[in-house]
Amino acid sequence: MKLKKLAQLVALMGVVGPVVAQEAAAPAMQRVEVTGSSIKRVAKEGALPVQVITFDQIEKQGITSTEQLVRTLSANGTGADNMTSGNNVFGADADRVSGGASFASLRGLGPSSTLVLLNGRRIATHGASGKSVDLNSIPLGAISRVEILKDGASAIYGTDAIGGVINFILKTNYSGVEASVSTNDTQAGGGATRRASILAGTGSLESDRYNLMASLTVDKAQQLNGRDRSFVNGYQPGRGLSPDTTGTPFANQMAGAGTALGTAFQLPGDANKYLQANPLSFQGKCDSIAGMSQYQTALWKDVTSPLRTKYSCAYDYGADYVLQFPVERANLLSRGTFQLAPDHRMFVEVLGSRTKATAILTPMQVQATVANKNLYPVGGAYYQDLSAYIPTFDKTKPISYKWRANDVGNRTQENTTDNARVLVGFEGNFGKWDYKAGISRAESSTKTKLTDGYSYTDKLYAALATGIINPWVGAGQSQTEAARQLIESTKFRGDFQHGKTTLTQIDGSVSGELFQLPAGALAMAAGFDLRREGYSFGQDVDATQILLAPGNAALKDASRTVKAVYAELLVPVTKDLEMQLAIRRDDYSLVGATTNPKVAFRYQPTDFLLFRGSASKGFLAPSFQQLYSGSLSQELPNGVVDQEGCAKHPGVPEYCAIDRLDYKTGGNTNLKPETSKQGSVGFVIEPFKGYSASFDYWAINTKDRILNRTPQIVLANYQALNQYIHRNPDGTIEYVQAGWINAAGSRVRGLDVGLRGEGKVQDAKWTATLDGTYMDSFKFAEYQGQEYQELVGKFYTRDLYLRWKHNASFGVSRGDWSGLLVQSFSSGYKDQVPNNGKGAPPPGFKPDVSSYTTYNLSGTYTGFKNTTITVGIQNLFDRDPPFTAHNVDEVVGAGWDPRVADPRGRSLSFQLKYKFM
């Protein structure tokens, strides 16, 4: 088998072809394993599209975390899987136990559909949510490169990789000592990052028959607050954005039987009966309190009843979100490799990491009602008499109110996740037959402490009923010392919940040539994968006693066994045509067995043209949490509409503007596995030496897709899902049953584009690359019978499916100097329309969210002995995130969307690396 010129270029591109899976460059004709296949073959040949990113590229781009790296991938989704978006308690897919975690989501199909590997093997999923590998657990400072198999449903690694595979390849066989330090500081302040790492190794497999190496990386990210960035502004009513909440630091009074406002109030000459009031609203002074404003009733009149909002203030609590919360990470990798015989090696690998992330949420919203027994008492020092504005105000009655309890503090959770894996492996060859085997044990445990902002419900309600705490603190005022001490006495601080996932794995494979065919050798591989997966989740205290406590219901010691076998053939049909045939059988102890095939081809009729394609089936079993998590009661934001009830009782708030509607979520033991059919076809062309392009069209059809059905979806589709709406005897909604279901499915189509050029001008070498993804279609049906909806280029609460994303770079090197310019681009989309799309939006509302483009520039100098210095500017032109008018209750961000943009702004990075030997 000869190396084709095109195959060499393809491998260099890092966009389309597999690469050598070794630390050092492979000698000519050396057989190596590439991501997507277990058959070792001549390097740089293959049929599947693999994108490769080297550690050098990562450093020069100023990338400081694995999450940041994955977000640069055009094939990765644009969803709420990053740490900023995940810092939420509401939303279509808010994960209340993944604070401090981040996930990959290739093709936007969700974290569970992306298989994240370390050196080609699985690692434990996140200890709390259990749904996928936390990217924070990947030792970024110890990797050699990242290989992204964009062709999903791998028969080799697992057919649960419906979206694709991300394989992090660690450094091996390193000799010497090197240390590096790096900083990244924002121009506008806040959100700085720091990193220090050391890598040491000794011994040579070739001469000493052993190699020992270890890597330690410690990094820290500082807090960045929403109010530190001007674009974080949820009060821009002229553009269609204003806060849709009446939970304010200067509380709004509410109507209710037995309260000062009675069941409703009227004003002279006005027949309407109103439900809330605030003296600042009557005075036109809502904005006298920082973050507050007059509620924009006209903007939300069909979402929240004007009877509740006309005389109320609103609060821009979206601007209180922490855009980057404090994170501390430490990753340790140690590896020993021993040459047992000339063709046989044994290695022991130990990986450990700790991530401490402090998730900071906005202060809780408290309602003082008759039922809660926390009304403000008559005779209290801060009793607020509204008789001057409301003639019917009864000051002999206590006050019901809605209060954003800023004085209780931000809800703060300290999430500590520990990851560990021990792997013992063997690899080598018997003549032309290669083998590898391994046994490993991996664990991920997450412990959550509540450190501020949470109170025992009964203690806080009793404290509010004393009248000592003032829910109407004016500008320049503060709570008394007695009130502060009383608030402090209600708080819960301490261990709150914990989760743990385990993975015990034994795997092995053998590959080699069976016999010669006229066009070449028929090669095969066969292997097995035995896994024992476990998950547990528990509460350290009774969470029902803590107001608005986060988390899931307990799930004790669930486990399952997975048995998998696979086989693969590499068939040279003709000199220019090669077929890859694979089949995999998985047997899940709690789900059942499945057999799934995969076929791929590689056809190269000339030196400058290569055709390739694949087709496969996928199988994704539901997770433990999706199957068995207990029922958890939560609340929706204000203003929810019961469409069926509101049609029968127009204008009645209990149906048309429900205040804090209850809903329940939990596992579903009746879930079926998610299945898929997918394929790709494409070509690579090199019209001129040094210039090449690849185009791969792909399609993924899923069935029985596993999704967290939200209460909003149930209410919006009440005709089809009415059995999940539970009502009281009077017809009002008691609660909505949400949770995990098998949705009808999705149909996804797209095109991956890779371009590369390279050349030389005098003594200077240059390279130019582009990696882009065009999303042709993403159609989705939430439940059986629903018509598939096109989501590309439209606002959506779960993910944004952008039409086009790319990462392009231009690099120049000469002698000791090199420079790199990187452009990242995300196309715009149709914005969420205010007032639920009813009526005409304000004149300043623009229906399209702008595209987002940033540039990163870096320069590297290696002229000092054993020293490398890299200086970079990220977001060179200080581009703010594009404005969006989306409702902050559904997606994090006030005036911007963290699924698309980086809030840090322009930043300066500096890295110093020194090799001691």
Side-chain angles (χ1 to χ4, degrees):
M1 300 172 66
K2 294 182 179 180
L3 288 176
K4 304 288 187 179
K5 182 190 302 182
L6 176 61
Q8 295 173 336
L9 269 170
V10 165
L12 288 173
M13 281 181 64
V15 205
V16 289
V19 298
V20 181
Q22 300 291 330
E23 181 64 21
M29 303 301 291
Q30 178 178 341
R31 291 177 300 158
V32 296
E33 183 181 332
V34 297
T35 298
S37 174
S38 282
I39 297 175
K40 290 191 175 183
R41 64 185 71 185
V42 175
K44 304 175 185 177
E45 293 193 11
L48 301 177
V50 177
Q51 178 183 353
V52 180
I53 303 174
T54 67
F55 186 65
D56 181 64
Q57 292 172 316
I58 293 170
E59 287 189 312
K60 288 182 177 179
Q61 290 188 59
I63 291 172
T64 58
S65 68
T66 311
E67 173 192 294
Q68 190 179 0
L69 168 65
V70 170
R71 292 189 69 175
T72 66
L73 304 178
S74 65
N76 194 57
T78 310
D81 303 306
N82 59 74
M83 297 176 75
T84 302
S85 293
N87 192 22
N88 194 14
V89 293
F90 295 120
D93 242 354
D95 187 345
R96 292 159 60 91
V97 296
S98 67
S102 59
F103 307 98
S105 176
L106 292 178
R107 308 304 188 197
L109 291 172
S112 298
S113 296
T114 297
L115 186 56
V116 176
L117 304 175
L118 201 60
N119 278 356
R121 287 183 166 93
R122 294 174 184 249
I123 54 180
T125 56
H126 183 240
S129 69
K131 66 182 180 182
S132 190
V133 172
D134 177 14
L135 296 176
N136 290 301
S137 67
I138 302 297
L140 189 63
I143 69 170
S144 170
R145 65 187 173 277
V146 186
E147 299 177 358
I148 302 97
L149 175 61
K150 299 180 182 181
D151 185 75
S154 170
I156 306 305
Y157 301 115
T159 49
D160 51 347
I162 292 175
V165 178
I166 302 180
N167 190 9
F168 292 88
I169 308 297
L170 298 175
K171 297 173 181 175
T172 60
N173 199 23
Y174 178 83
S175 181
V177 179
E178 68 177 51
S180 68
V181 293
S182 63
T183 66
N184 189 293
D185 294 273
T186 63
Q187 179 178 322
T193 62
R194 305 283 185 266
R195 166 176 290 175
S197 66
I198 185 168
L199 173 65
T202 183
S204 168
L205 288 176
E206 290 74 18
S207 58
D208 303 319
R209 300 183 60 186
Y210 77 91
N211 177 258
L212 302 175
M213 61 164 286
S215 170
L216 175 65
T217 302
V218 178
D219 59 298
K220 182 177 182 179
Q222 298 177 358
Q223 183 172 328
L224 175 61
N225 297 312
R227 298 198 184 274
D228 292 337
R229 294 294 184 266
S230 60
F231 58 80
V232 182
N233 179 6
Y235 183 69
Q236 302 183 60
R239 305 173 76 177
L241 175 63
S242 71
D244 179 27
T245 178
T246 56
T248 51
F250 191 95
N252 287 293
Q253 290 196 27
M254 299 193 305
T259 69
L261 287 180
T263 56
F265 67 89
Q266 290 180 273
L267 299 178
D270 189 342
N272 291 316
K273 295 182 178 180
Y274 296 99
L275 303 172
Q276 284 186 185
N278 193 308
L280 297 180
S281 176
F282 285 109
Q283 299 168 23
K285 295 181 179 179
C286 286
D287 57 2
S288 64
I289 307 295
M292 284 178 49
S293 59
Q294 175 62 46
Y295 188 96
Q296 301 298 298
T297 298
L299 193 60
W300 298 107
K301 60 184 178 63
D302 294 299
V303 174
T304 303
S305 172
L307 301 179
R308 186 176 299 281
T309 64
K310 184 174 181 180
Y311 297 107
S312 296
C313 297
Y315 181 63
D316 183 15
Y317 74 95
D320 288 339
Y321 273 100
V322 173
L323 309 185
Q324 175 179 292
F325 45 76
V327 180
E328 297 179 4
R329 302 184 191 89
N331 286 280
L332 173 66
L333 168 71
S334 59
R335 181 184 174 99
T337 308
F338 309 94
Q339 193 82 30
L340 303 178
D343 296 320
H344 305 279
R345 294 175 301 279
M346 170 187 175
F347 62 90
V348 179
E349 188 176 279
V350 178
L351 175 68
S353 69
R354 166 165 285 191
T355 301
K356 185 165 74 173
T358 304
I360 304 172
L361 289 79
T362 55
M364 68 176 71
Q365 182 174 272
V366 178
Q367 295 196 55
T369 65
V370 173
N372 289 338
K373 300 179 182 179
N374 57 352
L375 298 174
Y376 194 86
V378 176
Y382 310 107
Y383 189 90
Q384 189 180 76
D385 184 1
L386 298 186
S387 299
Y389 309 102
I390 303 171
T392 58
F393 187 87
D394 188 350
K395 56 187 177 183
T396 66
K397 298 288 195 306
I399 298 173
S400 175
Y401 60 88
K402 188 182 297 183
W403 181 45
R404 175 67 61 173
N406 287 3
D407 293 308
V408 179
N410 288 326
R411 287 169 284 179
T412 307
Q413 308 165 16
E414 183 181 280
N415 300 284
T416 302
T417 299
D418 292 315
N419 293 276
R421 186 182 77 165
V422 178
L423 167 66
V424 179
F426 300 87
E427 58 187 18
N429 64 278
F430 295 96
K432 293 185 178 181
W433 288 88
D434 302 290
Y435 73 89
K436 65 176 182 178
I439 180 170
S440 63
R441 169 73 175 186
E443 295 183 355
S444 177
S445 62
T446 299
K447 297 179 180 179
T448 299
K449 292 182 178 181
L450 304 185
T451 59
D452 199 13
Y454 291 95
S455 293
Y456 286 102
T457 304
D458 56 352
K459 289 184 178 181
L460 180 61
Y461 285 179
L464 294 175
T466 65
I468 296 174
I469 299 170
N470 182 10
W472 299 287
V473 175
Q477 299 177 343
S478 61
Q479 297 285 353
T480 65
E481 181 61 27
R484 286 193 290 270
Q485 292 181 8
L486 184 56
I487 290 173
E488 184 63 30
S489 70
T490 71
K491 289 186 179 181
F492 170 81
R493 287 189 172 94
D495 294 340
F496 178 67
Q497 62 190 15
H498 57 273
K500 182 178 181 179
T501 62
T502 59
L503 174 64
T504 304
Q505 183 175 18
I506 302 175
D507 65 87
S509 68
V510 61
S511 65
E513 296 179 357
L514 291 174
F515 50 81
Q516 289 290 323
L517 294 175
L522 176 67
M524 66 82 64
F528 69 91
D529 178 10
L530 305 179
R531 306 194 305 274
R532 181 71 173 177
E533 302 173 345
Y535 177 64
S536 62
F537 185 85
Q539 301 284 355
D540 299 304
V541 296
D542 184 358
T544 63
Q545 303 301 308
I546 300 172
L547 185 60
L548 297 180
N552 289 340
L555 171 59
K556 186 176 181 180
D557 297 331
S559 63
R560 67 185 176 197
T561 301
V562 185
K563 305 172 184 177
V565 292
Y566 61 87
E568 179 186 7
L569 285 176
L570 192 67
V571 184
V573 181
T574 68
K575 178 182 177 182
D576 301 321
L577 175 63
E578 180 181 272
M579 299 293 297
Q580 179 185 342
L581 308 175
I583 191 167
R584 182 184 181 96
R585 180 172 177 81
D586 295 272
D587 189 350
Y588 289 77
S589 60
L590 301 177
V591 180
T594 177
T595 301
N596 296 284
K598 183 164 188 172
V599 59
F601 76 90
R602 176 188 183 279
Y603 176 58
Q604 188 172 353
T606 69
D607 284 346
F608 63 84
L609 184 62
L610 167 72
F611 295 97
R612 64 183 174 198
S614 68
S616 60
K617 289 186 176 182
F619 178 92
L620 176 61
S623 69
F624 295 115
Q625 198 262 345
Q626 292 166 344
L627 286 168
Y628 304 120
S629 62
S631 179
L632 179 70
S633 296
Q634 301 178 63
E635 292 180 336
L636 283 170
N638 292 334
V640 172
V641 178
D642 170 11
Q643 295 188 39
E644 182 180 10
C646 189
K648 297 176 181 178
H649 308 277
V652 178
E654 287 77 9
Y655 298 95
C656 303
I658 306 172
D659 190 20
R660 295 281 163 180
L661 178 65
D662 291 331
Y663 70 97
K664 296 182 179 181
T665 60
N668 181 357
T669 57
N670 296 317
L671 284 176
K672 296 183 291 185
E674 179 179 329
T675 58
S676 69
K677 294 181 180 179
Q678 50 217 97
S680 66
V681 61
F683 67 93
V684 186
I685 186 170
E686 183 201 5
F688 308 102
K689 183 179 180 180
Y691 297 86
S692 59
S694 69
F695 301 88
D696 290 280
Y697 186 80
W698 49 269
I700 306 172
N701 289 348
T702 65
K703 182 181 178 183
D704 296 322
R705 189 176 176 196
I706 302 170
L707 287 179
N708 194 1
R709 178 192 52 217
T710 68
Q712 293 96 328
I713 291 294
V714 175
L715 292 168
N717 299 278
Y718 68 93
Q719 300 96 330
L721 304 176
N722 203 42
Q723 69 269 32
Y724 300 110
I725 302 175
H726 298 263
R727 297 184 180 274
N728 297 306
D730 63 358
T732 58
I733 297 178
E734 179 185 4
Y735 69 91
V736 175
Q737 181 63 56
W740 296 101
I741 63 164
N742 286 113
S746 60
R747 300 167 184 169
V748 192
R749 307 284 186 272
L751 177 70
D752 289 331
V753 178
L755 305 175
R756 179 179 177 88
E758 59 182 4
K760 188 174 182 180
V761 179
Q762 295 181 346
D763 295 333
K765 297 179 181 179
W766 63 269
T767 60
T769 66
L770 181 144
D771 172 57
T773 297
Y774 177 85
M775 185 73 76
D776 182 45
S777 177
F778 196 114
K779 291 185 177 180
F780 171 69
E782 187 81 36
Y783 57 87
Q784 295 291 342
Q786 184 187 45
E787 184 178 350
Y788 277 72
Q789 307 171 54
E790 179 60 73
L791 300 178
V792 173
K794 300 177 181 178
F795 175 86
Y796 191 54
T797 53
R798 184 175 291 115
D799 283 74
L800 292 172
Y801 302 101
L802 305 182
R803 183 68 70 185
W804 174 258
K805 294 170 62 177
H806 77 244
N807 224 44
S809 68
F810 181 79
V812 178
S813 62
R814 181 182 180 183
D816 296 327
W817 294 91
S818 63
L820 181 68
L821 177 66
V822 177
Q823 181 201 59
S824 296
F825 175 85
S826 299
S827 62
Y829 56 94
K830 294 293 182 182
D831 203 358
Q832 184 180 33
V833 181
N835 196 30
N836 205 23
K838 299 178 181 178
F845 173 74
K846 295 182 179 179
D848 297 304
V849 178
S850 301
S851 62
Y852 182 64
T853 307
T854 59
Y855 293 86
N856 298 339
L857 178 66
S858 68
T860 300
Y861 180 68
T862 58
F864 300 117
K865 185 179 179 181
N866 299 332
T867 303
T868 301
I869 300 173
T870 300
V871 178
I873 302 176
Q874 289 71 48
N875 197 349
L876 181 62
F877 299 108
D878 201 21
R879 171 73 187 274
D880 282 343
F883 172 81
T884 170
H886 73 72
N887 185 349
V888 72
D889 276 335
E890 297 175 328
V891 178
V892 171
W896 74 292
D897 197 322
R899 296 176 296 176
V900 175
D902 184 350
R904 300 174 76 246
R906 183 189 290 128
S907 63
L908 176 67
S909 63
F910 175 82
Q911 182 188 63
L912 174 66
K913 181 186 292 186
Y914 184 79
K915 293 185 178 182
F916 294 90
M917 299 169 59

